[in-house]
Amino acid sequence: MALTVTASACDGGGSKSSTAHYGDCEVTGHRGEFHLSPRTAGELTVKTTLPAPGWWNGDTPASVKSGYEFCMAANIAYRSGLDRVKVENAPFPEVVSGRTSDFDLALAQITITPERSKVAEFSPPYLDSTLGVLIRDGEKIDENNLRDVRIGVAEGTTGQKFVMNRLKPTKPVTSYANDPAMVTALEKGKIDAVVHDTTILLAYPQKREGKVRIVGQYRTDQGYGALYPKGSPNKDELDRIIRQLIDDGTLAKLSVVYLGTAFGQDPNKIPYFTVKSGS
């Protein structure tokens, strides 16, 4: 399923356009400052995995009008002189597999790893990533006993690899194709904890009305990057745009507007866990 979001008008330059419109996103910078060779003329094709509250606000491409990564894509399109953003929804393992090339870039909270870099290209990191631990409210699970409970992970993610290779839990690990199903399984007692990207899990405590809470996070020394098909002719130009979005404060503003609202709490105040020796 895909959604095309069109700019109703463009200003042809200047620091800001008051008439360009990509969903509910505010676009800034100079329209057409950069030059891409998109897969489809006049539009930027972006793959992601929905739902992703705060990042893509909406459960389907047709309902997405805002969010950190959606508005990041809108700003990339605008600065490239493209009037449309085409959103395509796909399973996360498909997005990072390198098996498809029918898109210009993917924005899906993708952690940059050496393995993924073998099959795809990555932008400079645009946000640090850590792995959070989500549990049912009232449970007593911490870094000391986490490996002895039933853990859920998102299929094909760095969280899955971290749990299997670093935590080495004593009970079977269950992988899930999407985040809501994983959190629902936690609420229903099918699993006892979820280990997944902190920036994704932070949306759930307030969304699920206090049924779940984040008790800690693990440092990964990694970051999120935009993913491009291997050999993409647009890598250098897209990298330049993303660096500009970082340097001029656009992404920091999007973080405050969209992720801060979704989080409901400061991720820097969540305790940091360590992997215990022997695990």
Side-chain angles (χ1 to χ4, degrees):
M1 182 180 292
L3 167 68
T4 299
V5 180
T6 305
S8 58
C10 302
D11 67 355
S15 61
K16 181 177 179 181
S17 168
S18 61
T19 54
H21 186 72
Y22 301 79
D24 295 332
C25 300
E26 177 185 7
V27 291
T28 61
H30 297 265
R31 184 183 190 280
E33 177 181 354
F34 299 92
H35 303 283
L36 300 179
S37 299
R39 179 175 177 79
T40 301
E43 70 182 23
L44 186 72
T45 302
V46 186
K47 281 201 174 185
T48 193
T49 300
L50 301 174
W55 304 91
W56 302 81
N57 291 327
D59 293 336
T60 65
S63 63
V64 173
K65 297 293 187 296
S66 65
Y68 179 102
E69 287 178 336
F70 177 83
C71 291
M72 178 180 174
N75 274 276
I76 291 171
Y78 178 73
R79 297 184 189 200
S80 304
L82 304 177
D83 293 337
R84 298 178 297 278
V85 176
K86 183 180 181 182
V87 181
E88 296 186 346
N89 187 22
F92 188 82
E94 176 184 316
V95 173
V96 300
S97 68
R99 295 192 298 266
T100 60
S101 59
D102 57 341
F103 60 97
D104 296 312
L105 75 160
L107 293 170
Q109 311 98 63
I110 304 169
T111 301
I112 303 168
T113 68
E115 294 80 8
R116 291 171 181 168
S117 296
K118 293 177 182 178
V119 297
E121 310 279 2
F122 278 98
S123 73
Y126 57 83
L127 197 71
D128 292 336
S129 65
T130 65
L131 291 172
V133 179
L134 188 75
I135 66 173
R136 287 184 298 279
D137 193 35
E139 296 289 332
K140 295 182 179 180
I141 297 173
D142 57 27
E143 62 186 320
N144 296 307
N145 62 0
L146 178 61
R147 65 186 299 262
D148 297 319
V149 304
R150 299 167 299 167
I151 299 175
V153 296
E155 181 182 357
T157 63
T158 54
Q160 182 181 38
K161 184 171 292 187
F162 178 87
V163 168
M164 301 304 296
N165 297 340
R166 296 285 307 283
L167 291 184
K168 299 178 181 178
T170 60
K171 294 186 177 181
V173 175
T174 304
S175 60
Y176 294 86
N178 63 74
D179 300 341
M182 180 168 58
V183 176
T184 297
L186 174 65
E187 291 178 342
K188 292 183 176 180
K190 295 181 179 180
I191 54 176
D192 302 308
V194 165
V195 177
H196 195 28
D197 291 28
T198 306
T199 49
I200 296 173
L201 294 183
L202 276 166
Y204 285 98
Q206 63 175 7
K207 187 175 182 181
R208 300 300 175 100
E209 299 177 345
K211 295 179 181 178
V212 295
R213 62 190 176 95
I214 297 176
V215 292
Q217 61 183 327
Y218 290 97
R219 289 186 174 89
T220 64
D221 298 320
Q222 295 175 313
Y224 291 155
L227 180 148
Y228 319 134
K230 198 72 173 176
S232 168
N234 294 309
K235 174 176 168 49
D236 291 344
E237 199 75 340
L238 284 167
D239 283 357
R240 289 178 60 207
I241 301 171
I242 291 172
R243 288 193 186 97
Q244 188 184 76
L245 292 172
I246 295 169
D247 293 343
D248 68 14
T250 298
L251 295 188
K253 182 177 180 180
L254 292 179
S255 180
V256 171
V257 172
Y258 295 110
L259 300 185
T261 300
F263 288 172
Q265 65 181 116
D266 184 355
N268 294 318
K269 294 183 179 179
I270 297 172
Y272 282 96
F273 284 177
T274 59
V275 178
K276 296 299 181 178
S277 60
S279 64

